[in-house]
Amino acid sequence: MSRPPTFTPPPCARSRLLRTERGDFAVLDAVPRTPTRATALLLPGYTGSKEDFVALLEPLCAAGYRVVAVDGRGQYASRGTGRPESYAQAELARDVLAQAAASEAGEGGLHLVGHSLGGQIARAAVLLDATPFRSLTLMSSGPAEVVAAQRDKVKMLSDALAVLSMDEVWEAMRALDPPQDADTGDGADLRRRWLAHDPAQLIATGAQLASEPDRVDELAAVGLPVHVLSGGRDDVWPVELFDAMARRLGARRTTIAGAEHSPNTARPLETARALTAFWDGLAPSA
């Protein structure tokens, strides 16, 4: 589970609802004081939320980028449906296209960033329609299904969610936490986020992570500029898979030293610099 440094947005950001043709989504909307160069739409990963990007907001705004970090359907503060079929990947991808349309990117264009599960949903959105986007960054998000050990964890969680309450599953997960994670001071925020998730969303998207096909060649054929960013280690997909995926895509490749699966929380300043360096290096949008 991702652990943002805080659930409190910085002064440059405000919590609000992004109203779209597919419903309302909770977002953190961060606006720079200087003229906006472009807008970035950020999608969190499995069990995560928009707060996973909270440490990126100030440095990205300082570089002139507006940032819209989203809770997807059934994640934390965005309302869920309780129906697994509404969390099919194609439905979530259409949500992203609606979020893009409602984000008012302006002349600078819209950069799409997806962390982990969010990267695979972002890829699906681009494959449906790439025209709203100036670029795609896949952050710690692999080419296909997660590794076998993670598939086992997802199955265990889904089986538990089918028979236990969210509170009961939370207590079971905390009992299994390593000693160093048992009391980090963020327990109340993490628990509140967990309890707000729709279990149907977790079950449906967990199944997607465990069975996602390799769609790298499809993405390469789109021709959108792509950035593959990860930590130096990752237990969800091997880092070597990120390297190979970047080569297949002809993508920019960035490895954030000292970070693992969540460079956005472990090394936010370095991650923000990598994102802006990629965006700054692109030719102006048409």
Side-chain angles (χ1 to χ4, degrees), residues 147-167:
V147 298
Q150 293 296 326
R151 294 197 297 272
D152 290 343
K153 288 182 179 180
V154 167
K155 184 179 185 304
M156 184 183 304
L157 177 58
S158 296
D159 289 347
L161 289 169
V163 297
L164 300 174
S165 70
M166 290 292 282
D167 195 33

Side-chain angles (χ1 to χ4, degrees), residues 109-191:
L110 184 66
H111 300 286
L112 183 59
V113 179
H115 174 239
S116 194
L117 170 72
Q120 297 195 332
I121 295 170
R123 179 174 71 177
V126 166
L127 291 176
L128 279 178
D129 183 5
T131 56
F133 306 111
R134 183 69 190 90
S135 74
L136 170 65
T137 295
L138 301 172
M139 183 187 299
S140 304
S141 185
E145 75 278 0
V146 297
V147 298
Q150 293 296 326
R151 294 197 297 272
D152 290 343
K153 288 182 179 180
V154 167
K155 184 179 185 304
M156 184 183 304
L157 177 58
S158 296
D159 289 347
L161 289 169
V163 297
L164 300 174
S165 70
M166 290 292 282
D167 195 33
E168 289 170 328
V169 174
W170 172 259
E171 293 302 326
M173 290 192 302
R174 295 298 281 184
L176 295 173
D177 276 347
Q180 65 270 24
D181 292 342
D183 185 14
T184 58
D186 57 5
D189 289 327
L190 292 174
R191 180 177 182 274

